[in-house]
Amino acid sequence: MLKFFLVGWVCLGTPNVDYKCVRMASEVVHDTYESCNEYYQLVATDLADTGAELNFTCVQAGLIEDVL
């Protein structure tokens, strides 16, 4: 069975002034890519008014294990 995780970047601040980016990964495990993507849409909607720039992708757990 495939498992999916949400991984990517969250960036805050003003570009060229105090802009900081942090690599992030969700601890929530999803059984399907669709479920993972729906979760990302919820997170993006919740953070839309904060000024945070999000760039996330749903990745198969096996791909993460291969890198580690």
Side-chain angles (χ1 to χ4, degrees):
M1 176 186 282
L2 296 175
K3 300 281 186 198
F4 293 86
F5 293 91
L6 195 58
V7 296
W9 296 92
V10 175
C11 299
L12 297 169
T14 305
N16 300 324
V17 177
D18 61 350
Y19 200 65
K20 304 277 186 203
C21 295
V22 178
R23 184 89 169 147
M24 303 283 293
S26 171
E27 294 181 0
V28 179
V29 179
H30 301 274
D31 293 328
T32 65
Y33 176 84
E34 291 77 16
S35 170
C36 182
N37 197 43
E38 287 174 12
Y39 180 72
Y40 173 50
Q41 297 305 318
L42 288 173
V43 170
T45 300
D46 285 347
L47 296 177
D49 293 335
T50 66
E53 180 183 338
L54 305 174
N55 185 3
F56 280 86
T57 303
C58 294
V59 178
Q60 289 181 16
L63 296 175
I64 295 172
E65 293 169 354
D66 290 345
V67 173
L68 299 176

